[in-house]
């Protein structure tokens, strides 16, 4: 009797000092799209009022707290404990990926080390997260996109997008140009994969849209069409040369 393949096993490690408890629901919904959150741990000083919001929802999401008292000012024992646990999990060989939830660039080397081992790293942090950490991850999701107010399927967000459409246009054109095509039209799914390779933090929600197709349809210099087989394709709109210029010799 055949069984369905198991979802990728993920170790979710949360830095309580650098992640808001407001993202918890959206965070685990997003992680569920990637795989199974087999381990859920959060690191911080939960005797501190700063971490009380997390303490109130730990049981709801089955998160195991790793209490670290701040014995010495300026020394972050929580970060060290998180890194030690991450390396233990990595060498156990039981996990297909890691979800590092923090906006702290101190985890850049940890993310890079895990990926050197051939294991995926998914980062979750605020838009202010330094580039070094974002680019060290296979994918990086802005936590601002995980709180209530992000767009529903096919709709624009009611909140201000994190980035402008002109920013998305530049990235999309670059991704399309790097895909070989005989007639300029390329599959939107291929563009999506190329975007993931080019920019770890690319996300349609950052521009106010739930889906990539919704975003592309709003960028005027890019055409979107559906083929007879139902496949979505895109291409940069051809440059139209005015008649007056064509007639000049």
């Amino acid at each position: 009797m055949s069984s369905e393949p198991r979802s990728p096993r993920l170790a979710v490690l949360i830095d309580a000092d650098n992640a808001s408890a407001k993202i918890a629901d959206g965070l685990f919904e997003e992680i569920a799209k990637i795989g199974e959150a087999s381990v859920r741990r959060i690191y911080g000083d939960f005797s501190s009022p700063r971490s009380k919001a997390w303490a109130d929802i730990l049981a709801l999401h089955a998160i195991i707290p790793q209490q670290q008292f701040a014995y010495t000012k300026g020394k972050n024992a929580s970060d060290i404990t998180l890194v030690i646990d991450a390396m233990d999990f990595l060498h156990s060989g039981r996990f297909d990926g890691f979800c590092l939830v923090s906006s702290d660039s101190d985890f850049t080397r940890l993310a890079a080390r895990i990926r050197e081992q051939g294991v995926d790293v998914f980062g979750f942090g605020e838009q202010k997260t330094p580039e070094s950490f974002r680019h060290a991850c296979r994918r990086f999701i802005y936590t601002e996109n995980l709180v209530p107010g992000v767009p529903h399927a096919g709709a624009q967000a009611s909140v201000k997008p994190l980035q402008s459409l002109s920013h998305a246009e530049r990235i999309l054109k670059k991704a399309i140009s790097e895909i070989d095509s005989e007639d300029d039209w390329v599959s939107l799914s291929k563009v999506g994969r190329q975007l993931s390779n080019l920019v770890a933090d690319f996300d349609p929600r950052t521009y106010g849209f739930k889906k990539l197709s919704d975003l592309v349809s709003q960028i005027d210099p890019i055409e979107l069409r559906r083929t007879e087989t139902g496949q979505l394709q895109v291409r940069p709109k051809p440059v139209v040369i005015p008649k007056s210029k064509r007639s000049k010799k």
Side-chain angles (χ1 to χ4, degrees), residues 149-217:
V150 297
H152 299 290
Q156 271 191 281
S158 57
V159 296
K160 184 180 179 181
L162 300 178
Q163 290 279 6
S164 66
L165 286 180
S166 59
H167 182 268
E169 180 186 325
R170 291 193 298 271
I171 300 172
L172 281 163
K173 282 183 173 179
K174 182 173 176 59
I176 293 170
S177 69
E178 293 182 356
I179 300 172
D180 291 332
S181 171
E182 293 181 359
D183 59 358
D184 292 336
W185 289 99
V186 297
S187 163
L188 185 62
S189 60
K190 284 186 178 180
V191 173
R193 289 193 292 271
Q194 187 63 15
L195 286 169
S196 296
N197 294 332
L198 278 175
V199 190
D201 57 1
F202 186 88
D203 188 333
R205 291 171 296 187
T206 299
Y207 307 96
F209 297 88
K210 182 70 174 177
K211 299 185 297 184
L212 179 58
S213 57
D214 295 329
L215 169 61
V216 171
S217 69

Side-chain angles (χ1 to χ4, degrees), residues 40-135:
R40 307 177 181 206
R41 292 193 184 183
I42 188 167
Y43 302 79
D45 182 359
F46 299 99
S47 65
S48 165
R50 185 179 178 183
S51 300
K52 185 180 185 305
W54 276 112
D56 291 342
I57 62 169
L58 295 178
L60 179 63
H61 293 285
I63 308 171
I64 306 300
Q66 303 297 301
Q67 172 65 35
Q68 295 297 318
F69 292 102
Y71 294 113
T72 307
K73 189 175 180 181
K75 300 294 183 182
N76 199 335
S78 297
D79 288 3
I80 296 171
T81 306
L82 188 157
V83 171
I84 291 171
D85 281 359
M87 296 310 293
D88 284 345
F89 291 143
L90 177 64
H91 291 299
S92 74
R94 293 185 292 122
F95 297 94
D96 303 299
F98 284 74
C99 297
L100 303 181
V101 187
S102 179
S103 302
D104 191 344
S105 64
D106 287 349
F107 294 114
T108 299
R109 185 67 187 100
L110 173 63
R113 177 64 186 85
I114 293 171
R115 293 194 71 188
E116 286 171 3
Q117 201 73 18
V119 178
D120 289 333
V121 176
F122 303 92
F124 296 81
E126 295 179 5
Q127 196 181 14
K128 68 180 182 182
T129 305
E131 276 191 355
S132 58
F133 181 34
R134 300 202 312 263
H135 293 170

Side-chain angles (χ1 to χ4, degrees), residues 13-29:
L13 309 178
I14 305 169
D15 175 10
D17 293 334
N18 281 285
S20 168
K22 293 178 182 178
I23 70 168
D25 291 342
L27 172 68
F28 285 102
E29 286 176 11

